[in-house]
């Protein structure tokens, strides 16, 4: 398995830009990123598994959480920087997995943003 395409320092800079930009400016506790190219940009994930629901939950503080199919965990772990992983099984509802992570990161009453479309 290959490693991420960029060093951990660049990963930290990219997350800092998101946190100091949209999250902080809009008063958000977290953001849910689902466009494959933006997930890649923020954590380095590059694989063929994007046909299944994959999301990166970026909290204002703390480690981002990558939500992906459980079977993708070894690949995701090898190709990402500084993220926790939350896998869901094939019979599970991926929306439930995303909701579980979001409610841990942003308790009720906290605002969460979601990208409507990729800016690229």
């Amino acid at each position: 398995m290959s490693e991420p395409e960029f060093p951990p320092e660049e990963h930290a800079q990219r997350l800092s830009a998101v946190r100091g930009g949209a999250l902080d400016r809009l008063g958000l506790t977290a953001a849910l990123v689902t466009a494959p190219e933006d997930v890649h940009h923020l954590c380095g994930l590059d694989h063929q598994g994007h046909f299944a629901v994959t999301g990166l939950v970026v909290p204002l503080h703390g480690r981002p959480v990558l939500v992906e199919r459980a079977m993708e965990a070894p690949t995701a772990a090898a190709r990402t920087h500084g993220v926790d992983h939350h896998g869901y099984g094939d019979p599970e509802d991926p929306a439930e997995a995303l909701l579980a992570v979001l409610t841990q990161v942003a308790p009720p009453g906290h605002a969460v943003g979601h990208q409507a479309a990729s800016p690229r």
Side-chain angles (χ1 to χ4, degrees), residues 34 36 47-54 69 71-72 88 90 94:
T34 55
H47 68 32
Q48 298 298 317
H50 286 293
F51 65 88
V53 174
T54 302
R69 289 174 72 202
M71 70 176 296
E72 297 288 353
Y88 61 88
D90 286 342

Side-chain angles (χ1 to χ4, degrees), residues 21-111:
L23 292 180
D24 194 40
R25 187 178 72 250
L26 297 173
L28 301 173
T29 300
L32 172 59
V33 179
T34 55
E37 61 273 19
D38 294 331
V39 171
H40 174 264
H41 180 78
L42 291 172
C43 73
L45 182 64
D46 184 16
H47 68 32
Q48 298 298 317
H50 286 293
F51 65 88
V53 174
T54 302
L56 182 66
V57 178
V58 180
L60 184 58
H61 305 287
R63 288 170 61 94
V65 181
L66 184 62
V67 180
E68 77 273 330
R69 289 174 72 202
M71 70 176 296
E72 297 288 353
T75 300
R79 295 186 177 189
T80 58
H81 285 302
V83 297
D84 292 333
H85 299 272
H86 181 91
Y88 61 88
D90 286 342
E92 295 177 62
D93 183 350
E96 292 293 328
L98 286 168
L99 183 59
V101 171
L102 286 168
T103 54
Q104 286 178 346
V105 171
H110 289 87

